[in-house]
């Protein structure tokens, strides 16, 4: 058979996956190839399949002549320069759904081991200590499992827990009522509701700015005394030192920790405790999950090379340079507006209107809409989200999206507006671009007209427009050592409600934010990091 396209495989993948590719393509296997060698070798290939040991740098991508797709079994793509691949039109494929069952089963396994004290009984018995009373556990049936994060893995954990006779509550403010109802899982309105009813708590969250450090000493003390805590999601969500203290004090009776703040984790205070099971991120480490991942990637790589759309690409599967060039002047604005909106909006987003006014309304804006949606929806899901899957995720979450276009714009040549609605909040933000460099500008925030250039660090403060307010804000930030680079004020009437937008020279962390509130007396402040 004559092959027109070649695939390079640099790591061990299943024989079944290799055979499936060999039916249509020439497959070459070269294991343990280093980046410098790959830079030369890659010129000859249309497809590349790697795992963790191969690093795909920007130089490798730039040197590729015919490369159309990079496949990476599993979910982690940190060893691929995604930005360079996307810019060159190379699809990057992974297999994010391959480990759902394995991760859910692992969470259940930890729960069972801790409830039955298997982790303690095993070494004691092997050392000749036959003491049944010492290792007496408890039945799961009738106990309550609280799940924090009701995505695909959390949903699978809930299904399996129901089969064990557990009562299951789940908390996820970004999941629709319908999903809870269809699953038969009781919805917790607040995370405190989970703390109040749960004998066991299992965490299934992505690590974001909002979830990093979420489970700290204060939160641990809110849980019922003797709670069992499980984390097979992401490290850094639980403050490990605080968990150590809670375990020593008996506030938390036991814990199963599969993920750590820093991995690989070679040293942790948690390792000292008998009532903790620590594992090296094994949630997806099953032969079935690995084989599924290998086959998914092989199938998706084959699709791309055959000119078919890939369903598990983490970037753009087919790059239309013409469309990209027409909307590229507005990409930074779209990204900044989406990020601003996401950080300002609180609660579950139910409706989103994206408006294009002026000349931009005459362009094909699908790509730009996807860019905006990615920024907005990142905090609402534990999945890898990108311009390929963002619309699907939006539909799954029940988000109603409306796109409005009007080539007429009264005040601006080009204008983008975002208007969102939820059960408790309505929010709108608007922006434009100026000058030959198309510099983004925010021109309205929460119905206040405000003209400011986005920056890395910003703050928005709502306040009563009376004399002395600006001075109090400046003084408070000054005491914290935070320099205000620029200040912008929007108001509707004199002495009425006002909004101040600040460009800051450094980041304001949570501790500084609380101190600012004490020093200034202003509580309605949002810190924005772009």
């Amino acid at each position: 058979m004559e092959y027109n396209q070649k695939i390079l495989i640099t790591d061990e993948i299943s024989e079944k996956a290799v055979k499936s590719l060999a039916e249509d393509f020439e497959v070459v296997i070269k294991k343990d190839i280093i980046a410098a060698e790959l830079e030369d070798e890659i010129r000859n290939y249309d497809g590349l399949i790697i795992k963790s040991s191969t690093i795909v740098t920007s130089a490798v991508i730039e040197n590729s002549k015919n490369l159309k797709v990079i496949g990476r079994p599993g979910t982690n793509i940190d060893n691929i320069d995604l930005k360079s691949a996307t810019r060159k039109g190379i699809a990057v494929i992974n297999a994010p759904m391959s480990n759902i069952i394995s991760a859910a089963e692992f969470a259940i396994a930890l729960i069972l081991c801790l409830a039955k004290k298997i982790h303690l009984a095993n070494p004691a018995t092997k050392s000749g200590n036959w003491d049944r009373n010492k290792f007496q556990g408890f039945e799961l049936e009738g106990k309550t499992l609280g799940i924090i994060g009701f995505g695909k893995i959390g949903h699978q954990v809930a299904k399996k827990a129901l089969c064990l006779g557990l009562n299951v509550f789940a908390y996820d403010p970004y999941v629709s009522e319908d999903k809870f109802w269809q699953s038969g899982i009781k919805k917790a309105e607040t995370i405190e509701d989970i703390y109040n009813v749960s004998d066991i708590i299992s965490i299934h969250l992505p690590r974001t700015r909002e979830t990093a450090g979420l489970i700290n000493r204060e939160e641990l003390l809110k849980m019922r005394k003797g709670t069992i805590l499980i984390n097979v999601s992401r490290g850094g969500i639980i403050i490990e030192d605080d968990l150590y203290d809670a375990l020593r004090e008996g506030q938390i009776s036991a814990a199963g920790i599969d993920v750590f703040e820093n991995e690989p984790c070679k040293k942790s205070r948690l390792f000292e405790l008998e009532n903790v099971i620590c594992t090296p991120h094994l949630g997806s480490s099953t032969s079935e999950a690995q084989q599924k991942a290998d086959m998914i990637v092989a199938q998706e790589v084959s699709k791309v090379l055959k000119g078919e759309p890939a369903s598990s690409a983490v970037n753009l599967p087919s790059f239309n340079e013409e469309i990209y060039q027409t909307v590229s002047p507005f990409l930074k604005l779209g990204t900044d507006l989406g990020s601003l909106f996401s950080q300002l909006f609180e609660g579950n987003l139910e409706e989103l209107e994206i408006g294009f006014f002026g000349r931009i309304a005459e362009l094909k804006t699908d790509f730009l809409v996807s860019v905006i949606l990615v920024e907005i929806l990142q905090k609402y899901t534990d999945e890898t989200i990108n311009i390929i899957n963002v619309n699907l995720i939006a539909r799954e979450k029940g988000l109603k999206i409306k796109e409005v276009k009007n080539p007429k714009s009264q005040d601006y040549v080009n204008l983008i507006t975002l208007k969102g609605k939820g059960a408790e909040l309505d929010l709108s933000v608007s922006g434009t671009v100026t000058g030959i460099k198309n510099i983004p500008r925010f021109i309205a925030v929460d119905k206040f007209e405000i003209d400011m250039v986005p920056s890395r660090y910003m703050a928005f403060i709502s306040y009563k427009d009376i004399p002395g307010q600006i001075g109090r804000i400046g003084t408070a930030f000054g005491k914290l050592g935070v320099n205000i680079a620029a200040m912008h004020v929007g108001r509707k009437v004199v002495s009425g409600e006002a909004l101040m937008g600040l460009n800051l020279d450094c980041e304001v962390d949570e501790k500084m934010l609380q101190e600012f509130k004490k020093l200034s007396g202003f509580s309605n402040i949002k810190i924005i990091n772009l």
Side-chain angles (χ1 to χ4, degrees), residues 225-297:
K225 189 173 181 64
T227 295
I228 290 176
L229 189 60
I230 306 294
N231 187 17
V232 298
S233 58
R234 289 291 183 271
I237 294 173
I238 299 175
I239 302 298
E240 292 167 16
D241 284 341
D242 290 352
L243 175 59
Y244 173 87
D245 292 337
L247 286 158
R248 287 289 302 271
E249 296 162 5
Q251 173 63 20
I252 301 299
S253 65
I257 305 298
D258 185 47
V259 288
F260 295 84
E261 172 94 35
N262 299 303
E263 296 182 358
C265 182
K266 300 295 183 67
K267 185 178 181 181
S268 171
R269 295 174 74 197
L270 294 175
F271 295 172
E272 303 168 10
L273 303 177
E274 285 190 339
N275 55 343
V276 183
I277 296 177
C278 295
T279 50
H281 209 141
L282 295 178
S284 60
S285 293
T286 64
S287 58
E288 290 86 355
Q290 295 300 319
Q291 289 174 14
K292 285 179 188 175
D294 291 349
M295 282 304 301
I296 288 171
V297 166

Side-chain angles (χ1 to χ4, degrees), residues 390-407:
V390 67
N391 289 294
L392 174 62
I393 290 174
R395 288 195 298 271
E396 289 178 346
K397 294 194 171 295
L399 177 62
K400 298 176 182 177
I401 302 171
K402 181 180 179 182
E403 185 175 348
V404 176
K405 288 187 173 185
N406 189 337

Side-chain angles (χ1 to χ4, degrees), residues 97-385:
M97 299 298 103
S98 62
N99 70 337
I100 290 174
I101 300 299
S102 293
E105 288 180 349
F106 197 79
I108 295 294
L110 289 174
I111 291 170
L112 285 165
C113 281
L114 291 167
K116 306 302 180 183
K117 297 189 178 180
I118 296 170
H119 60 300
L120 300 176
N122 176 56
T125 304
K126 288 182 176 180
S127 64
N129 183 8
W130 188 273
D131 189 345
R132 297 175 66 190
N133 293 327
K134 182 179 180 181
F135 305 115
Q136 188 175 63
F138 64 87
E139 292 183 351
L140 292 179
E141 185 165 353
K143 301 300 188 297
T144 297
L145 170 65
I147 295 174
I148 301 175
F150 199 50
K152 287 184 169 60
I153 295 175
H155 184 236
Q156 285 294 324
V157 171
K159 286 175 60 179
K160 298 178 190 309
L162 288 174
C163 295
L164 293 172
L166 283 154
N167 300 311
V168 182
F169 286 77
Y171 171 71
D172 195 324
Y174 307 125
V175 171
S176 67
E177 294 276 359
D178 286 345
K179 184 173 181 180
F180 282 97
W181 180 79
Q182 292 169 4
S183 305
I185 303 301
K186 302 178 186 72
K187 179 181 180 181
E189 296 299 329
T190 67
I191 197 168
E192 284 77 14
D193 290 341
I194 292 290
Y195 300 158
N196 292 335
V197 302
S198 301
D199 302 295
I200 305 161
I201 293 176
S202 190
I203 297 169
H204 302 281
L205 295 169
R207 181 174 176 176
T208 66
R209 188 181 301 125
E210 291 181 330
T211 63
L214 174 67
I215 307 300
N216 54 27
R217 180 170 180 80
E218 181 181 352
E219 300 300 298
L220 290 165
L221 289 174
K222 293 178 184 178
M223 298 176 187
R224 295 169 65 175
K225 189 173 181 64
T227 295
I228 290 176
L229 189 60
I230 306 294
N231 187 17
V232 298
S233 58
R234 289 291 183 271
I237 294 173
I238 299 175
I239 302 298
E240 292 167 16
D241 284 341
D242 290 352
L243 175 59
Y244 173 87
D245 292 337
L247 286 158
R248 287 289 302 271
E249 296 162 5
Q251 173 63 20
I252 301 299
S253 65
I257 305 298
D258 185 47
V259 288
F260 295 84
E261 172 94 35
N262 299 303
E263 296 182 358
C265 182
K266 300 295 183 67
K267 185 178 181 181
S268 171
R269 295 174 74 197
L270 294 175
F271 295 172
E272 303 168 10
L273 303 177
E274 285 190 339
N275 55 343
V276 183
I277 296 177
C278 295
T279 50
H281 209 141
L282 295 178
S284 60
S285 293
T286 64
S287 58
E288 290 86 355
Q290 295 300 319
Q291 289 174 14
K292 285 179 188 175
D294 291 349
M295 282 304 301
I296 288 171
V297 166
Q299 291 164 0
E300 293 294 289
V301 166
S302 179
K303 283 183 182 179
V304 173
L305 294 181
K306 292 177 179 179
E308 302 171 8
S311 58
S312 62
V314 296
N315 64 348
L316 197 61
S318 57
F319 206 92
N320 187 317
E321 187 68 20
E322 183 180 352
I323 293 175
Y324 178 84
Q325 290 299 332
T326 60
V327 299
S328 61
F330 310 103
L331 290 178
K332 184 66 166 62
L333 173 62
T335 299
D336 288 347
L337 276 175
S339 183
L340 174 67
F341 181 94
S342 176
Q343 294 179 65
L344 289 177
F345 195 90
E346 296 179 347
N348 191 29
L349 180 62
E350 298 174 353
E351 299 178 25
L352 178 67
E353 181 183 288
I354 303 176
F356 299 98
F357 304 92
R359 293 178 183 173
I360 190 174
E362 300 174 350
L363 303 178
K364 185 174 177 58
T365 53
D366 293 356
F367 179 76
L368 187 53
V369 167
S370 294
V371 168
I372 293 170
L373 287 176
V374 167
E375 291 297 322
I376 293 175
L377 292 180
Q378 279 179 355
K379 74 174 185 179
Y380 293 97
T381 180
D382 57 357
E383 302 171 63
T384 300
I385 190 168

Side-chain angles (χ1 to χ4, degrees), residues 48-67:
L48 172 64
I49 296 178
I50 67 169
K51 285 191 175 178
S52 58
S53 64
T54 302
I55 308 298
V56 182
T57 64
S58 59
V60 170
I61 291 168
E62 287 305 312
N63 284 349
S64 66
K65 300 299 182 183
N66 303 310
L67 194 62

